[in-house]
Amino acid sequence: MEDIRFIAEWEECRAIVVTLPASFTDWDYILEESQAQYRRLVEAFTGAGYHCIVIAPSEDYARQVLGAATVDTDKVTVKCIEYNDTWVRDYGPLAVVKDGRARLLDFGFNGWGLKFAADKDNLVNSRGLVPQHLYRNERDFELEGGSVDTDGEGTVLTTSRCLCSPNRNGGRTKAELNEILRRRLGASHVLWLDYGYLSGDDTDSHIDTLCRMAPGNVILFTGCRNMDDEHFEPLLAMRAQLTLMRTPEGDPYNLVELPLPDPIFDEDGHRLPASYANYLVTPRHIFMPTYNQPQNDMTACQTMRIAFPDHEVVAVECLTLIKQHGSLHCATMQLPFDLD
């Protein structure tokens, strides 16, 4: 029997991957604004001391986009790889330790259940991002990075609406998926969330928009206190289910509630899926999305310190990212291993 462990996000971070918006992506209609958004991300990561791997059409384009950024260029590596869009969380590799060796798993990505073109995104890992000695082809199974979260100790948190989707893996049952997650990620304890959604979410309720795991059997979750908000009942049902979940030892989880941002709408009046649960955590920092909502932004940052008291919270304004229905975690992928 192979020994596999899915690594928790807060354990190690050798690099953070981002993919730059370009004219051939869905960012074309606000290209300069989106370029400025990604400069803010790279500035935040390199400013905190992290190496940043930037996927771009060319090195010249990367220099053009990042040229106005306060970036230590020694901390940036450009990878010239073809791609469809920028949401590298969902087509980037998932890190495991397999039989004592580092591995980056390349799962299939079909545009969140055949909603969007993803033929190039699906090949990014095999065409230059992941070196052969770390690479493992798992593309026969559709699994997006934003759809699973782990405590690094064998527990995986996910949503039935996403993983049981018929357009991803033929609508497999939870029991079938439990066995696949055990074999592929070493998941010995799978927590299935059946409730909760965010309006405008194209991912079919990715876990990283709703709930996240933290050390010490903590789960941070998106709450809603406004009874007139459309999310009040679904998120209340989600919270009720979370209270019933148990650790492998049979203990309840320690639940920490994150605020729901005030509604943000696009130019057509459709609500966008803003969430504070879409943060990136490293061994030393929390990169927290903010939405120019001073009270909510401050509450979210303060709440994070409950779960990660020794971490520095770095706020990154993400109002442009949310226009394309994603946020900070969706736009990034942390790598715990050196790629050399």
Side-chain angles (χ1 to χ4, degrees):
M1 179 69 67
E2 294 177 313
D3 180 29
I4 307 171
R5 188 175 71 84
F6 185 16
I7 298 173
E9 194 169 296
W10 58 80
E11 289 185 53
E12 184 61 82
C13 182
R14 297 299 178 90
I16 299 171
V17 185
V18 299
T19 304
L20 294 183
S23 59
F24 54 81
T25 69
D26 288 344
W27 295 105
D28 185 48
Y29 75 109
I30 49 169
L31 189 55
E32 288 189 9
E33 180 184 335
S34 65
Q35 290 170 338
Q37 171 76 84
Y38 275 77
R39 280 197 295 272
R40 287 197 296 275
L41 292 177
V42 175
E43 285 175 343
F45 302 147
T46 57
Y50 296 96
H51 187 77
C52 202
I53 296 175
V54 174
I55 300 173
S58 69
E59 291 194 16
D60 285 345
Y61 183 75
R63 282 194 292 269
Q64 171 196 331
V65 172
L66 300 178
T70 308
V71 173
D72 180 352
T73 54
D74 290 338
K75 291 188 172 69
V76 175
T77 298
V78 178
K79 297 277 189 177
C80 300
I81 309 170
E82 288 189 311
Y83 54 94
N84 301 98
D85 215 336
T86 58
W87 305 112
V88 70
R89 172 63 49 181
D90 293 334
Y91 58 80
L94 295 183
V96 301
V97 174
K98 182 180 174 65
D99 293 330
R101 300 174 64 188
R103 287 288 182 268
L104 292 172
L105 308 186
D106 182 16
F107 288 97
F109 175 63
N110 68 355
W112 305 284
L114 306 174
K115 296 183 182 73
F116 302 96
D119 55 313
K120 295 173 184 176
D121 290 343
N122 191 41
L123 297 175
V124 162
N125 298 318
S126 63
R127 290 188 171 175
L129 180 60
V130 179
Q132 193 60 39
H133 72 283
L134 292 174
Y135 181 84
R136 176 147 182 151
N137 188 341
E138 303 276 354
R139 289 209 305 272
D140 60 319
F141 181 63
E142 304 290 330
L143 185 68
E144 298 134 25
S147 69
V148 286
D149 201 24
T150 184
D151 63 356
E153 299 177 8
T155 297
V156 167
L157 178 62
T158 189
T159 68
S160 56
R161 187 179 175 199
C162 179
L163 256 63
C164 296
S165 162
N167 286 343
R168 285 177 171 84
N169 293 294
R172 283 187 168 101
T173 65
K174 290 179 182 177
E176 292 170 325
L177 290 164
N178 283 346
E179 176 59 20
I180 291 171
L181 294 173
R182 184 191 66 78
R183 286 189 285 105
R184 311 272 183 138
L185 295 177
S188 56
H189 185 56
V190 182
L191 300 171
W192 288 95
L193 200 61
D194 302 309
Y195 304 98
Y197 75 92
L198 294 182
S199 181
D201 176 21
D202 295 322
T203 70
D204 303 313
S205 296
H206 268 186
I207 198 67
D208 70 353
T209 67
L210 297 170
C211 300
R212 304 289 300 281
M213 305 202 79
N217 293 330
V218 170
I219 295 179
L220 294 112
F221 70 97
T222 300
C224 180
R225 299 299 181 94
N226 180 3
M227 295 180 65
D228 296 323
D229 192 297
E230 66 176 288
H231 298 105
F232 180 78
E233 292 292 342
L235 292 180
L236 189 64
M238 182 183 81
R239 177 176 183 162
Q241 188 177 22
L242 288 170
T243 65
L244 299 176
M245 289 181 175
R246 294 295 182 267
T247 69
E249 295 74 31
D251 299 318
Y253 283 91
N254 302 306
L255 302 181
V256 177
E257 180 178 347
L258 289 164
L260 180 69
D262 295 335
I264 302 173
F265 300 93
D266 66 14
E267 62 275 9
D268 297 318
H270 299 129
R271 189 164 178 177
L272 298 170
S275 169
Y276 293 111
N278 208 250
Y279 60 83
L280 174 69
V281 56
T282 71
R284 307 189 312 273
H285 296 85
I286 305 286
F287 295 98
M288 191 81 189
T290 60
Y291 304 102
N292 196 25
Q293 299 179 13
Q295 186 59 52
N296 286 330
D297 293 347
M298 181 181 67
T299 300
C301 290
Q302 290 175 340
T303 302
M304 288 304 308
R305 294 188 178 97
I306 298 173
F308 294 93
D310 298 325
H311 280 58
E312 179 183 349
V313 179
V314 179
V316 184
E317 188 260 288
C318 290
L319 280 173
T320 301
L321 281 179
I322 203 64
K323 289 182 179 181
Q324 277 295 308
H325 303 256
S327 198
L328 193 150
H329 195 249
C330 304
T332 61
M333 176 57 81
Q334 78 289 341
L335 298 178
F337 313 130
D338 289 322
L339 297 187
D340 330 330

